[in-house]
Amino acid sequence: MTRTILKYVALIALTLLFSVSSASAQDKIRTVIIDGQNNHNWAETTPYLVKILEDAGIFEVDVATAPGKGGDMSKFNVDFSKYDLVVMNYNGDRWNPEMDKAFVKFVVDGGGFLSYHAGNNAFANWPAYNEMIGLGGWEGRNEDSGPYLYLDADGNTVIDAVEPGVGGDHGPQWAYPIDVRAPEHPIMKGLPLRFRHCEDELYQRQRGPAHNVTVLATAFAVPEKRGTNRNEPLIITVPYGKGRCVNNMLGHAGKQLESVDFIVLFQRCAEWAATGKVTIEVPEDFPGEDEPTFRKLFD
Ligand code: ZN
């Protein structure tokens, strides 16, 4: 009798083990990174982004590479129905109209969208795209692109539709501290309220429709580094339809993508955009206020 029960228990345990392991493969967040054109070295950065996501253990990552500048965009179509998350490492020629439409439908229907660094330079004249990123820069952006959003000295969000000027600017790179502005947001929860980012560009004077923007993180753009003397938003979220959009402006090139704060924030932004939750924990090597920390991702 006891032996029969034991056998039965063992059988249940085996079944559970099997179903858990097969479910975890199915449950991975299906991700596509779009690259192929960028005023940055996308061929260098995409492998870092793939590695960062795969190291988290919960993403399955494809890369969709568009034709080069001036190429035939009519043949570049991503089947968004295969994915939970789109990562934008692209700025350049406008996609074809079907691809535009399919992307909007993907996000409206609840897909996750993560714009990485200069992904928010793309498509200055595409209203839906600018709604999703909330704020963008360069490619001719100015006061006609929307207000300039920053945080004042008390941490209040200012949406300045009066001041004219460029959309998008940065001074020389420096290792600035990042301030958490939404400590209860799943992406930011558990992080130190201020931590040191690596030497990187600090995007400032970003402009856009700025509708329903939640500012998760800012950095103070010091005048000594050609900064605006204001708290500039560097990670924001925007709802669009049923979709969650995250605009993460950090990470100019490969060396910045080895800083631990970038790695952890990128993984968390990606998970939240896709699922609305964050399970990725804050690691021991996450930086404090004084020094950035690094992980070697490639030999
Ligand atoms: Zn850059």
Side-chain angles (χ1 to χ4, degrees), residues 29 56-59 186-187 189 267-272 275-282:
I29 296 167
I58 58 172
F59 300 94
I187 293 172
K189 203 166 171 91
Q267 291 170 334
R268 287 179 148 215
C269 288
E271 185 183 12
W272 183 81
T275 69
K277 295 188 192 114
V278 171
T279 60
I280 294 158
E281 294 184 355
V282 183

Side-chain angles (χ1 to χ4, degrees), residues 39-40 117-118 170 173 200-201 203 251-253:
N39 63 327
H40 291 66
H117 193 58
H170 63 74
Q173 297 184 11
D200 197 354
E201 293 168 349
Y203 275 17
H252 171 72

Side-chain angles (χ1 to χ4, degrees), residues 1-228:
M1 181 66 177
T2 314
R3 197 179 286 172
T4 316
I5 291 172
L6 273 177
K7 255 191 208 163
Y8 188 60
V9 168
L11 195 69
I12 291 175
L14 268 175
T15 312
L16 275 175
L17 199 70
F18 183 73
S19 55
V20 165
S21 61
S22 57
S24 65
Q26 279 171 5
D27 288 351
K28 285 206 171 172
I29 296 167
R30 297 164 305 165
T31 304
V32 60
I33 300 174
I34 299 178
D35 66 10
Q37 294 184 37
N38 201 314
N39 63 327
H40 291 66
N41 189 349
W42 58 266
E44 182 200 23
T45 52
T46 290
Y48 281 86
L49 302 180
V50 171
K51 177 93 170 69
I52 287 168
L53 292 176
E54 288 183 346
D55 282 354
I58 58 172
F59 300 94
E60 206 167 71
V61 188
D62 291 339
V63 177
T65 301
K69 201 153 193 59
D72 181 2
M73 296 302 280
S74 71
K75 292 190 180 67
F76 180 59
N77 287 291
V78 175
D79 180 1
F80 292 108
S81 69
K82 285 165 56 185
Y83 299 106
D84 308 305
L85 175 68
V86 173
V87 175
M88 187 76 165
N89 187 14
Y90 179 97
N91 65 52
D93 294 349
R94 186 71 181 268
W95 298 333
N96 71 62
E98 287 72 34
M99 170 102 159
D100 280 5
K101 249 186 261 167
F103 178 62
V104 172
K105 180 176 173 5
F106 167 79
V107 180
V108 166
D109 289 350
F113 173 49
L114 171 54
S115 171
Y116 151 65
H117 193 58
N120 83 338
N121 294 193
F123 308 139
N125 298 314
W126 180 7
Y129 187 80
N130 285 277
E131 288 289 342
M132 291 181 207
I133 57 173
L135 298 169
W138 296 276
E139 305 215 350
R141 285 177 173 85
N142 59 25
E143 61 273 12
D144 296 333
S145 313
Y148 162 31
L149 185 151
Y150 61 90
L151 269 62
D152 69 15
D154 296 326
N156 301 310
T157 301
V158 178
I159 299 178
D160 185 342
V162 178
E163 185 176 310
V166 297
D169 177 35
H170 63 74
Q173 297 184 11
W174 62 289
Y176 46 84
I178 290 179
D179 292 311
V180 172
R181 298 294 180 172
E184 292 305 313
H185 191 283
I187 293 172
M188 309 310 282
K189 203 166 171 91
L191 300 180
L193 291 180
R194 172 172 279 196
F195 51 86
R196 185 68 54 165
H197 184 52
C198 65
E199 197 167 282
D200 197 354
E201 293 168 349
L202 198 171
Y203 275 17
Q204 59 186 9
R205 300 187 199 284
Q206 305 293 294
R207 289 179 177 274
H211 293 140
N212 308 311
V213 166
T214 299
V215 178
L216 301 190
T218 62
F220 187 73
V222 297
E224 306 86 80
K225 299 287 183 185
R226 214 155 40 74
T228 54

